[in-house]
């Protein structure tokens, strides 16, 4: 057991993938000598060389499109998109090509490409550097989408993404890059299935589902609610596509109440999908409507007011109050 | 000139250095359009490419003619099948046979081809069953053939997306060859051909693919069939300069070849593939040709271009000029041409009967290919669909409701 930040855990996970799989390689802008703008790939070019850690031209469609070609030749490319808002020049390649290649070929072709995207706000950055576009990808069949919230998951989930035969979008909660946590590099433990949700703390009055950057917020809200005498269950979703509805359903059957929290706008978001599925699966167990806590229907606001936009402990507690009032 | 003169980026301490182009002079062979076989059926000369043309045996030349005639006959049959409601859409290639047969026949088995969606002639040269091509157009598959069997990728309908796949694939070849050399393997070297059109040349992916190919010196031949019309929009709206000139800006050779001259296309493509396989980097070939028919069976060329233009290009027909040459040189007799006609009709009959027998898949198969690994949502939806379908099972027995 060793302690490291999420950024370091991903770095070590990438190192393990490069070591274990000679066909894996990293691609992206500034990931070589600079080590990535967040230093997630720090030191890897030194140890694996410029053919395994490829500094690419500044072109997102080019990164994803050439990664598809490499995958067709039997390689396992791991692409870095520098920031969430910059993935859109590569969106066409991801949605019309990467997601569909296996299906179009009747299963003859596989494209095991991983796309790493640092996402989410809360770092005081400028336009296009704080977005949460996961729902846009989740709506596309053929992609898998996962996001870790802690160092242990980060270390294992990036390796599991590389090992997956399907294309995986790996969303990295950038404002948690420096969050430290324990990592067992010998044994993934309960993290052995990256598409399974985890119950982080058990409770009986209500369930909060969160993922990525909002998991610590959800845990803090649950702790605050406990001081007021409420017993709250917190689930780290971990996988956005597929969603582990079984774990969420089981929890809601126990607690009768559900809050879903994410940074992305609530409209058309993952929270709506969870609310709809849970109302189908556990309607008679629900004591209150499923309540979503998320961003507003606006472009991500400027950094000086992002605190008003982002879900925080108070917004989750307000949602809990509303739920418990039914 | 070209890529070999570019400064080579290198990172110290790396094991493999795929970024350094191999040595050896690479010359941009010509700035003008390369033509060997003119519309009059006479063979001209070229300081570089005549040598390639001289390699061709009479048997190969007859083969080129037979291929072009076959794929033209196939094209006619597919168009007829579309008109008869057997296909949802057809994308005719008539006029572009030389560009496709000449380039396709220049590839070797180990090369990998990324077509757009009109490369029926190239498919023929790669031994793809042409009836398989029609699955896409009949609406029963989004692919249709196994790309790994003949190194001929699926058609790509999103313009230019495949040019990037081709470069990535070529980067994979570079790595494979490094592994192979380290293991003392003597496998023949491979290259990739990326097909696209003059319309697609406006897409950002073509630009990015050329940037990547140049940066990594990837063994890829970009084969642009300039057929002069992107549906109804002429080439002049796509580019201010001849398309082959763009290669210079990326740092690799660009060649314009008479796309209706199968001998010149073959020569130029062989040169480019050798260039790429030998590690000297990418090449752009612009095959200057003309799409005689519609873009697809859904459009009407009389709305956007003059028939005089079509007539002028019919005078440059790729089959006519090779036929003249073969006859003038005594390389083929009437019996040969008769045999070609018979073979064409046979192919057409095969395609027609196969197509009419191509049934749509069971809808359940659509669930199978979404993911390579098991996926709970797909499994859940399939289970729901099975249950839903089962609810109708008794209906037919009750009197065919």
């Amino acid at each position: 057991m060793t302690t490291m930040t999420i950024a370091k855990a991903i770095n070590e996970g990438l190192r393990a993938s490069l070591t274990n799989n000679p066909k894996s390689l990293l691609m992206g802008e500034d990931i070589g000598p600079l080590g990535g703008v967040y230093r997630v790939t720090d030191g890897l070019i030194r140890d694996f060389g410029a053919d395994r850690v490829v500094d690419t031209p500044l072109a997102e469609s080019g990164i994803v499109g050439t990664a598809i070609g490499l995958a067709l030749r039997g390689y396992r490319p791991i692409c870095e998109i520098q920031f969430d808002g910059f993935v859109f020049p590569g969106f066409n390649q991801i949605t019309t090509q990467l997601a569909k290649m296996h299906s179009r070929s009747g299963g003859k072709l596989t494209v095991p490409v991983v796309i790493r995207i640092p996402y989410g706000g809360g770092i005081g950055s400028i336009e296009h550097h704080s977005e949460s576009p996961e729902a846009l990808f989740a709506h596309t069949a053929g992609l898998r989408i996962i996001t870790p919230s802690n160092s242990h998951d980060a270390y294992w989930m990036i390796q599991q993404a590389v090992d997956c035969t399907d294309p995986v979008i790996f969303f990295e909660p950038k404002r948690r890059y420096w969050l430290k946590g324990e990592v067992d590099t010998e044994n993934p433990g309960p993290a052995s299935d990256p598409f399974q949700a985890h119950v982080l703390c058990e409770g009986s009055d209500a369930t909060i589902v969160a993922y990525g950057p909002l998991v610590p917020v959800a845990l803090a809200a649950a702790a605050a609610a406990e001081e007021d005498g409420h017993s709250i269950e917190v689930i780290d979703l971990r996988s956005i596509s597929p969603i582990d509805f079984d774990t969420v359903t089981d929890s809601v059957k126990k607690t009768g109440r559900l809050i879903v929290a994410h940074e992305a706008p609530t409209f058309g978001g993952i929270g709506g999908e969870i609310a709809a599925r849970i109302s189908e699966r556990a309607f008679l167990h629900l004591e209150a409507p499923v309540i979503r806590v998320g961003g507003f229907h606006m472009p991500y606001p400027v950094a000086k007011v992002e605190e008003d936009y982002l879900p925080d402990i108070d917004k989750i507690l307000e949602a809990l109050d509303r739920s418990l009032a039914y | 000139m070209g890529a070999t003169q570019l400064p080579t980026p290198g990172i110290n301490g790396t094991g493999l250095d795929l970024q350094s182009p191999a040595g050896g002079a690479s010359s941009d062979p010509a700035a003008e359009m390369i033509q060997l076989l003119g519309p009059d059926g006479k063979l001209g000369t070229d300081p570089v490419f005549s040598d390639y043309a001289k390699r061709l045996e009479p048997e190969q030349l007859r083969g080129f003619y037979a291929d072009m005639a076959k794929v033209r006959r196939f094209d006619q049959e597919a168009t007829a099948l579309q008109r008869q409601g057997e296909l949802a859409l057809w994308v005719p290639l008539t006029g572009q046979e030389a560009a496709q047969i000449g380039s396709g026949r220049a590839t070797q088995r180990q090369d990998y081809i990324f077509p757009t969606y009109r490369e029926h002639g190239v498919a023929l040269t790669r031994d793809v069953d042409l009836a398989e091509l029609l699955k896409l157009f009949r609406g029963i598959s989004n692919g249709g053939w196994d790309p790994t069997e003949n190194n001929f990728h699926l058609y790509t309908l999103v313009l230019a997306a495949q040019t990037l796949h081709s470069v990535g694939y070529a980067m994979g070849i570079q790595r494979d060859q490094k592994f192979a050399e380290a293991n003392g393997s003597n496998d023949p070297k491979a290259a990739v051909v990326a097909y696209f059109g003059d319309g697609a040349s406006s897409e950002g992916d073509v630009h990015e693919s050329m940037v990547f190919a140049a940066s990594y010196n990837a063994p890829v031949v970009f084969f642009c069939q300039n057929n002069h019309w992107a549906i109804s929009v002429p080439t002049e709206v796509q580019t201010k300069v001849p398309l082959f000139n763009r290669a210079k800006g990326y740092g690799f050779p660009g060649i314009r070849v008479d796309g209706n001259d199968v001998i010149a296309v073959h020569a130029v493509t062989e040169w480019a593939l050798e260039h790429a396989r030998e590690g000297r980097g990418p090449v752009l070939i612009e095959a200057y040709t003309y799409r005689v028919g519609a873009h697809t069976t859904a459009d009407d060329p009389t709305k956007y271009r003059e028939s005089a233009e079509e007539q002028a290009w019919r005078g440059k027909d790729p089959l006519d000029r090779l036929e003249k040459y073969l006859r003038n040189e005594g390389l083929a007799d009437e019996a040969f041409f008769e045999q070609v006609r018979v073979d064409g009709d046979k192919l057409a009959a095969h395609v027609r009967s196969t197509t009419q027998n191509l049934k749509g898949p069971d809808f359940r198969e659509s669930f199978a290919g979404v993911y390579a690994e098991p996926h709970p949502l797909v499994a859940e939806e399939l289970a729901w669909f099975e249950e839903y379908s089962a609810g109708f099972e008794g209906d037919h027995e009750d009197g065919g409701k």
Side-chain angles (χ1 to χ4, degrees):
Chain A
M1 199 73 85
T2 165
T3 300
M4 57 180 96
T5 63
I6 287 182
K8 180 65 177 165
I10 299 171
N11 177 279
E12 288 298 327
L14 291 170
R15 176 179 295 279
S17 285
L18 289 169
T19 304
N20 297 336
N21 191 338
K23 293 275 182 161
S24 64
L25 71 155
L26 310 186
M27 306 172 67
E29 297 151 19
D30 305 310
I31 65 165
L34 180 66
V37 291
Y38 287 103
R39 310 293 182 267
V40 171
T41 55
D42 194 33
L44 297 175
I45 194 168
R46 186 186 61 230
D47 298 333
F48 294 95
D51 299 313
R52 302 287 304 284
V53 182
V54 183
D55 258 338
T56 63
L58 203 163
E60 287 78 10
S61 189
I63 293 168
V64 179
T66 51
I68 292 170
L70 277 155
L72 290 170
R73 183 75 189 181
Y75 286 81
R76 287 187 179 251
I78 307 155
C79 306
E80 177 176 303
I81 301 294
Q82 216 158 57
F83 285 94
D84 34 61
F86 302 152
V87 72
F88 297 106
F91 193 72
N92 170 44
Q93 284 287 344
I94 295 172
T95 54
T96 75
Q97 305 299 308
L98 182 63
K100 295 179 177 171
M101 199 70 83
H102 182 70
S103 148
R104 293 177 61 226
S105 69
K108 302 277 192 232
L109 302 176
T110 56
V111 275
V113 174
V114 176
I115 298 172
R116 297 178 39 236
I117 309 175
Y119 80 121
I123 61 162
S125 196
I126 63 168
E127 198 183 13
H128 307 304
H129 289 68
S130 302
E131 297 175 12
S132 299
E134 60 270 18
L136 294 169
F137 296 95
H139 201 64
T140 302
L143 303 174
R144 290 172 186 267
I145 302 165
I146 53 178
T147 178
S149 71
N150 60 71
S151 300
H152 181 79
D153 278 356
Y155 176 78
W156 287 106
M157 285 167 74
I158 186 65
Q159 294 180 67
Q160 291 154 343
V162 178
D163 290 342
C164 185
T165 316
D166 292 311
V168 178
I169 314 282
F170 190 80
F171 277 108
E172 299 174 3
K174 69 168 95 81
R175 69 165 144 144
R176 307 295 177 202
Y177 269 145
W178 303 279
L179 184 70
K180 284 188 176 175
E182 288 198 328
V183 179
D184 183 346
T185 56
E186 300 295 319
N187 186 0
S192 58
D193 181 354
F195 304 108
Q196 203 172 24
H198 284 173
V199 178
L200 297 184
C201 69
E202 300 211 12
S204 53
D205 296 338
T207 302
I208 305 175
V209 168
Y211 54 81
L214 281 192
V215 170
V217 181
L219 286 168
E226 200 174 331
E227 286 176 15
D228 291 338
H230 303 299
S231 164
I232 310 298
E233 188 143 305
V234 177
I235 294 176
D236 180 355
L237 203 60
R238 299 169 83 241
S239 176
I240 294 167
S241 180
I243 289 175
D244 177 4
F245 288 113
D246 289 346
T247 297
V248 181
T249 305
D250 289 348
S251 176
V252 171
K253 282 181 177 171
K254 190 172 67 173
T255 65
R257 292 180 168 83
L258 178 63
I259 312 295
V260 187
H262 54 58
E263 291 188 13
T266 54
F267 181 80
I270 300 299
E273 179 61 38
I274 295 174
R277 294 267 168 184
I278 293 306
S279 74
E280 285 180 29
R281 285 170 162 238
F283 184 67
L284 295 176
H285 297 269
L286 284 169
E287 304 286 342
V290 179
I291 299 179
R292 293 169 292 167
V293 181
F296 300 98
H297 191 55
M298 60 172 68
Y300 193 86
V302 294
K304 295 297 180 200
V305 296
E306 70 178 338
E307 293 306 324
D308 287 328
Y309 175 89
L310 287 167
D312 58 7
I313 296 172
D314 289 336
K315 281 183 185 156
I316 295 177
L317 288 174
E318 187 276 338
L320 266 177
D321 284 346
R322 264 195 285 154
S323 178
L324 291 164
Y326 275 91
Chain B
M1 64 180 294
T4 49
Q5 285 187 351
L6 291 174
T8 57
I11 306 286
N12 290 333
T14 65
L16 303 171
D17 187 6
L18 298 172
Q19 298 182 339
S20 299
S26 131
S27 58
D28 194 344
E32 300 302 319
M33 186 161 83
I34 307 297
Q35 185 190 75
L36 293 172
L37 185 63
D40 55 1
K42 299 240 165 60
L43 198 60
T45 58
D46 177 273
V48 176
F49 295 110
S50 283
D51 285 348
Y52 286 82
K54 281 177 199 156
R55 296 183 195 169
L56 291 168
E57 300 291 336
E59 187 61 36
Q60 283 171 283
L61 291 171
R62 283 191 293 272
F64 290 170
Y65 183 86
D67 285 347
M68 292 196 293
K70 251 190 206 173
V71 78
R72 180 170 290 187
R73 182 70 186 85
F74 166 71
D75 198 41
Q76 288 166 349
E77 198 64 20
T79 303
L81 284 165
Q82 195 280 331
R83 295 297 183 225
Q84 292 156 9
E86 299 287 347
L87 303 177
L89 185 78
W90 181 241
V91 186
L93 98 156
T94 295
Q96 299 178 225
E97 296 88 349
Q100 297 196 11
I101 299 300
S103 59
R105 284 289 172 214
T107 63
Q108 296 174 1
R109 296 316 302 168
Q110 75 276 11
D111 298 325
Y112 198 94
I113 316 298
F114 283 90
T116 167
Y117 46 72
R118 199 191 297 279
E119 274 66 71
H120 324 313
V122 187
L124 176 85
T125 68
R126 303 300 294 188
D127 297 331
V128 174
D129 182 348
L130 295 183
E132 299 258 287
L133 283 181
L134 298 184
K135 287 182 179 174
L136 175 69
F137 300 98
R138 194 167 166 81
I140 62 171
S141 169
N142 289 327
W145 56 97
D146 182 349
T148 59
E149 223 167 66
N150 299 298
N151 281 6
F152 185 77
H153 196 69
L154 302 175
Y155 278 1
T156 305
L157 301 182
V158 175
L159 279 190
Q162 80 282 0
T163 59
L164 279 167
H165 308 164
S166 74
V167 174
Y169 197 94
M171 290 164 69
I173 288 177
Q174 286 177 309
R175 284 164 172 73
D176 286 351
Q177 285 178 182
K178 287 281 179 186
F179 281 125
E181 280 163 25
N183 294 326
S185 159
N186 267 335
D187 288 345
K189 290 182 174 173
V192 179
V193 186
Y195 286 87
F196 61 100
D198 48 305
S201 74
S202 297
E203 290 277 2
D205 277 359
V206 164
H207 170 69
E208 295 188 23
S209 67
M210 292 189 183
V211 170
F212 273 68
S215 296
Y216 302 114
N217 213 46
V220 58
V221 174
F222 295 105
F223 194 93
C224 175
Q225 288 171 86
N226 177 358
N227 70 10
H228 283 78
W229 291 93
I231 307 188
S232 67
V233 180
T235 313
E236 292 71 43
V237 179
Q238 314 295 337
T239 182
K240 282 283 185 191
V241 299
L243 285 168
F244 77 100
N245 275 353
R246 290 190 181 174
K248 207 175 288 178
Y250 296 104
F252 52 80
I255 309 168
R256 175 178 274 182
V257 63
D258 181 344
N260 288 15
D261 168 359
V262 71
I263 296 177
V265 171
H266 187 267
V268 163
T269 313
E270 269 208 318
W271 177 88
L273 282 165
E274 283 172 14
H275 183 95
R277 287 193 210 99
E278 285 163 14
R280 287 191 274 152
V283 177
L284 168 63
I285 296 171
E286 178 193 0
Y288 200 74
T289 182
Y290 193 77
R291 183 240 299 156
V292 175
H295 164 68
T296 71
T297 45
D299 78 321
D300 175 6
T302 64
K303 294 228 182 224
Y304 55 82
R305 67 189 189 193
E306 301 291 331
S307 67
E309 180 183 294
E310 286 173 39
Q311 284 313 314
W313 276 94
R314 283 185 195 276
K316 304 174 187 177
D317 188 86
L319 275 77
D320 288 351
R321 70 173 81 174
L322 185 57
E323 179 176 345
K324 281 180 199 161
Y325 177 73
L326 291 173
R327 286 185 189 275
N328 290 345
E329 299 293 316
L331 298 174
D333 55 15
E334 191 50 43
F336 166 77
F337 290 105
E338 181 53 30
Q339 188 60 47
V340 167
R341 272 189 291 275
V342 170
D343 290 346
D345 288 342
K346 243 197 268 179
L347 173 70
H350 161 73
V351 165
R352 170 167 290 269
S353 65
T354 312
T355 302
Q356 286 170 332
N357 290 324
L358 286 174
K359 299 277 181 278
D362 186 323
F363 177 62
R364 289 165 185 79
E365 288 172 30
S366 304
F367 291 92
V370 187
Y371 292 90
E373 296 184 11
H375 192 284
L377 180 59
V378 175
E380 184 184 315
E381 292 186 349
L382 173 59
W384 177 88
F385 181 75
E386 295 283 14
E387 204 178 321
Y388 167 79
S389 305
F392 294 94
E393 263 170 19
D395 288 0
H396 295 290
E397 290 160 24
D398 293 344
K401 274 189 269 183

